[in-house]
Amino acid sequence: MADLTDLIEAAQKSDRRAAGELLPLVYDELRSLAAARMAAEAPGHTLNATALVHEAYLRLVGDQKFDGRGHFFAAAAEAMRRILVNHARDRGRLKRTGGRARVELLDQVGSLDESPELVLSLDELLNRLETEDAAAARVAQLHLFAGISIEEAARALEVSRAAAYRNWKYARAWLRDALEK
Amino acid sequence: MAVDAARVKSLFLAASDLADRAQRDAFLGRECGVDAALRERVEALLKANDAAPLPPPGNATVDSGPGKRNPDVIRPATAEHRAKLDAGAVISGHYKLVQKIGEGGMGEVWVAKQSEPIKRKVALKLIKTGMDSKAVLARFEQERQALALMDHPNIARVS
């Protein structure tokens, strides 16, 4: 298997095959980290997406300086979304979380897994938002699932900070409105 | 009639910058005209946003003024642009990090040396980048309030 940093470099040169290989690599790493974390913790323990993503980054990339962070975070957000959705489904009977509490979790990055039901709703809502406004959905996915700040999401998406912020403001209001229904 | 999402978005973003209710109403009245469905959709998003407004970008340090007489102060701090923290780094101008003593999902706790207005050792609780949302900051504020009400040698004091 190719090295992650090689893949990211190739992905940056818009090599689609490399971008395609990046996701499974990041996904496997995140999934094994998540599994190890769940095994070590008491039942009912939740995953901290932010911590997992940063740990995966350190394991795969190390602390060397490199400019492919955006590609890594995009893959990590997508992978983390799938992991959390699968995890939420595995948890069987879902704990009901009220509209208000669900909406508040949107502002507690990394705490999404506290509500499996919210993860499943968000997955569905982000698919819907994606068809209406792909740019807003991308910022929301990076922020909510990779747990990175809006500023970091702007760098990852190579857009201005102001543009990322406005997209998040819109996506957040859109999600809050939909979740309260 | 289907509502145009792009139009909703631009009206929402423009209207959300208008804090004044009357100005906002005038703006929406002018832009939406007789399109009630459009106006309703924009108003719904504004309502969702206003319920917990997003802090403006680049909101940095929360620092509630110089500490007073108590040692062992817990003080929340946060900074959007904070890089990886190392011993020796200076936070908010007068807290020099000495040693990391704890780490959790939300951030880190450091032993720090305060230089101003008095010299003393404090415990500094730092919120992770990306975790400094309104809800998390509110939780920190609650913790501060709770600690401020307590006075026991084994409980950290807050100022």
Side-chain angles (χ1 to χ4, degrees):
Chain A
M1 188 171 17
D3 180 51
L4 178 98
T5 46
D6 293 342
L7 282 177
I8 289 177
E9 269 167 29
Q12 275 181 310
K13 292 171 195 140
S14 56
D15 177 342
R16 294 185 72 90
R17 193 186 54 84
E21 275 179 32
L22 186 61
L23 180 62
L25 188 65
V26 174
Y27 180 80
D28 284 347
E29 181 66 28
L30 277 171
R31 202 181 45 182
S32 66
L33 278 176
R37 199 54 42 81
M38 296 306 286
E41 301 283 350
H45 178 80
T46 55
L47 297 166
N48 182 321
T50 315
L52 282 180
V53 168
H54 283 97
E55 196 173 331
Y57 182 84
L58 283 176
R59 288 168 62 103
L60 291 170
V61 183
D63 46 14
Q64 55 180 310
K65 204 171 151 48
F66 99 119
D67 7 281
R69 286 170 67 88
H71 287 278
F72 172 82
F73 283 128
E78 181 64 37
M80 206 60 220
R81 179 172 168 184
R82 292 183 194 182
I83 289 167
L84 288 176
V85 165
N86 289 338
H87 186 54
R89 290 200 178 117
D90 288 349
R91 278 160 88 176
R93 231 183 91 248
L94 296 177
K95 193 171 70 184
R96 293 287 304 172
T97 312
R100 169 65 43 199
R102 300 197 311 172
V103 160
E104 277 169 12
L105 278 175
L106 282 187
D107 287 336
Q108 293 171 35
V109 165
S111 313
L112 275 187
D113 200 47
E114 281 174 25
S115 170
E117 187 213 356
L118 171 66
V119 169
L120 297 182
S121 306
L122 271 181
D123 184 50
E124 196 189 308
L125 289 171
L126 282 176
N127 285 340
R128 245 174 67 199
L129 181 58
E130 169 99 51
T131 63
E132 270 185 34
D133 193 318
R138 271 197 296 274
V139 172
Q141 166 153 319
L142 272 169
H143 181 58
L144 293 170
F145 286 98
I148 64 177
S149 68
I150 299 303
E151 188 165 73
E152 215 162 2
R155 280 198 294 273
L157 295 168
E158 293 174 352
V159 297
S160 74
R161 197 164 146 228
Y165 180 80
R166 290 174 83 74
N167 274 327
W168 169 237
K169 188 179 191 181
Y170 173 69
R172 180 174 171 273
W174 193 101
L175 292 168
R176 287 179 73 98
D177 174 63
L179 284 170
E180 286 213 326
K181 278 173 187 157
Chain B
M1 185 171 61
V3 179
D4 175 8
R7 178 111 176 96
V8 168
K9 182 184 188 180
S10 75
L11 290 181
F12 159 74
L13 288 171
S16 68
D17 288 337
L18 302 170
D20 182 70
R21 186 54 66 188
Q23 255 188 339
R24 205 187 253 191
D25 279 348
F27 171 78
L28 290 177
R30 200 164 59 234
E31 296 293 329
C32 301
V34 294
D35 192 343
L38 175 64
R39 176 146 186 177
E40 197 183 312
R41 182 69 190 127
V42 175
E43 298 257 23
L45 293 180
L46 286 170
K47 191 174 150 230
N49 182 65
D50 291 348
L54 196 56
N59 242 7
T61 318
V62 171
D63 192 337
S64 42
K68 287 186 228 76
R69 62 213 169 277
N70 294 341
D72 307 320
V73 175
I74 286 190
R75 182 175 282 286
T78 170
E80 261 277 293
H81 313 281
R82 199 170 57 231
K84 203 176 154 201
L85 290 170
D86 285 312
V90 177
I91 306 287
S92 296
H94 44 255
Y95 298 97
K96 191 171 180 182
L97 299 182
V98 178
Q99 189 195 350
K100 181 155 76 174
I101 51 174
E103 189 171 2
M106 303 229 303
E108 301 174 348
V109 183
W110 283 76
V111 173
K113 274 187 186 154
Q114 182 178 3
S115 56
E116 292 281 331
I118 55 166
K119 289 193 173 112
R120 59 177 171 176
K121 256 191 186 174
V122 298
L124 197 66
K125 206 164 173 180
L126 299 165
I127 306 173
K128 260 185 201 161
T129 305
M131 297 294 288
D132 44 358
S133 68
K134 216 176 163 188
V136 171
L137 291 179
R139 207 188 281 175
F140 259 68
E141 188 50 37
Q142 272 176 7
E143 191 179 327
R144 270 172 61 82
Q145 295 288 350
L147 283 169
L149 295 173
M150 297 175 190
D151 185 15
H152 185 274
N154 293 337
I155 299 176
R157 272 171 293 182
V158 68
S159 68

